[in-house]
Amino acid sequence: MMDIHKILKQLPHRYPFLLVDRVLEIEKGKSIKALKNVTINEPFFEGHFPQRPVMPGVLMLEALAQAAALLAFDAAGTSASDGFIYYFAGMEGVRFRRPVEPGDQLILEAELLRMKAGIFKFKARALVDGEVAVEAELTCAMRAVS
C-alpha cells in the first residue's frame, strides 16, 4: 500500500529513527497496518543487550507512534512535507507481552479512536507471528512547524 519512498515523503524521521518499513493496509481515518523488519544491524542492538539482543520497548512504542502518524496524516490530508509535525503526547495502558528480537517482523496496528483540534488518540498494538508484543493507547498532537 505504501512503500518506503512514500513513507519518507510523509514522515520527517530518518535513520536511525525511521521505524516503519512499509504500510500494508490503511483505511482512511480508521486504521493502519504497517511493517517493521527487525534486523541485527539495528544500532540499538549493540548495547541492548549484546549477549541477548532485544528491541527496546520504547522503540516499539515509537514504531507504533510513527504508524499512527501515517494514519493521522492520511486522515487529515497532510504530511510532514506540508509543514506539519506529529508529537508523541502520551500513552496509557502500556503492556509488553513478549520480547522482540533480530529476525522478527513487527506488525504495527493502530486504530484511530478520536481526533479533535489536532489531538489524536489511538488504540495500538505490535505483533510478531500473530502474538502481541506490546499494546497501548497513544495520544499524539499534530502541529504546524513554525
Side-chain angles (χ1 to χ4, degrees):
M1 176 114 222
M2 188 183 292
D3 64 16
I4 192 65
H5 305 289
K6 290 179 183 174
I7 292 168
L8 287 167
K9 288 179 183 175
Q10 290 291 99
L11 293 178
H13 305 79
R14 295 297 178 262
Y15 178 84
F17 277 97
L18 180 61
L19 299 173
V20 178
D21 293 324
R22 172 169 288 155
V23 173
L24 305 172
E25 300 171 14
I26 192 164
E27 189 174 349
K28 190 170 188 69
K30 293 187 179 182
S31 64
I32 190 167
K33 185 176 191 179
L35 169 72
K36 164 65 179 147
N37 288 306
V38 182
T39 73
I40 192 64
N41 297 319
E42 308 282 355
F44 51 79
F45 282 134
E46 187 175 327
H48 196 265
F49 302 101
Q51 71 282 7
R52 176 73 183 198
V54 176
M55 185 175 187
V58 295
L59 293 181
M60 288 188 274
L61 290 166
E62 174 65 22
L64 283 170
Q66 289 179 23
L70 289 166
L71 176 58
F73 282 138
D74 184 68
T78 61
S79 72
S81 61
D82 294 328
F84 290 92
I85 195 159
Y86 179 81
Y87 293 107
F88 213 157
M91 59 184 99
E92 297 174 43
V94 177
R95 295 290 179 264
F96 296 99
R97 305 287 183 194
R98 74 177 303 279
V100 175
E101 301 175 320
D104 286 342
Q105 282 195 328
L106 205 54
I107 302 298
L108 310 165
E109 298 178 344
E111 174 189 348
L112 180 59
L113 298 176
R114 64 182 168 273
M115 64 179 184
K116 184 178 180 181
I119 304 295
F120 296 77
K121 186 144 190 175
F122 304 91
K123 181 178 178 182
R125 66 185 190 161
L127 302 103
V128 174
D129 295 327
E131 190 179 338
V132 176
V134 61
E135 57 191 346
E137 283 193 3
L138 308 177
T139 303
C140 304
M142 192 182 310
R143 299 290 184 248
V145 178
S146 45

